[in-house]
Amino acid sequence: MNPSITMPPQVAWASGALSGAPLIQKTTHLGDLNNVFADDDAWRCCDPTLAVYRVDMFDTPSGEGELYTGVTHLNPGRVGNEFFMTRGHFHARREQGEIYFGLRGEGLLLLQDAQGQTRLEPVRPGSVHHIAGFTAHRLINIGSDMLSALAVWPSVAGHDYTALSGGFALRVTADTLKLMAKEVQNG
Ligand code: F6R
Ligand code: ZN
């Protein structure tokens, strides 16, 4: 009997481009990100039609046990002193985790637990990020090029954007990067 061979879809590691299967794409513009950046006046002065990030996802089945695969492409930029970032979320089903893989660009993954404790992981080509359950997550682009990261997560996880609508406990600006650099220098 001949083996059955199916060609899988592809991710281009250097760019994060997905191909070979139907996609769902969603672009988030600055105008969609009301109350996300700390400097509201600066946000109001920005062009609301400017694209901040796009998520490309394979259009795969949902349901218990199913996984979604998607790539976030986050543009470089700032609102006031704060770097462009995703809205960020807890999963609606809090116990569900997720894996992110850095593909291109220079960024940070901001993680915040249920007690409000935050930490940052550098996102670079090849970095692997295990986002445990009960952990809110947000990507931040601290570079001057596009940041792209691949994510795999349970389709049942869902998104809760309201729990942190007042903001994460940590904001990343150029000053934050200076502090981080000092910390690395001092060991
Ligand atoms: C899925 C996931 C990512 C984000 C994407 C956009 O659980 O974490 O695919 O959905 O980076 O960020 P949000 O959803 O916070 O706008
Ligand atoms: Zn998520």
Side-chain angles (χ1 to χ4, degrees), residues 26 28 53 55 70 72 86-89 91 98 100 131 137-139 151 153 157-159 161:
K26 186 179 174 234
T28 300
Y53 58 100
V55 179
T72 301
T86 57
R87 185 184 295 279
H89 58 270
H91 289 154
E98 181 162 4
Y100 277 19
I131 301 169
H137 40 287
R138 156 180 280 170
L139 279 170
W153 70 100
H159 297 94
Y161 294 105

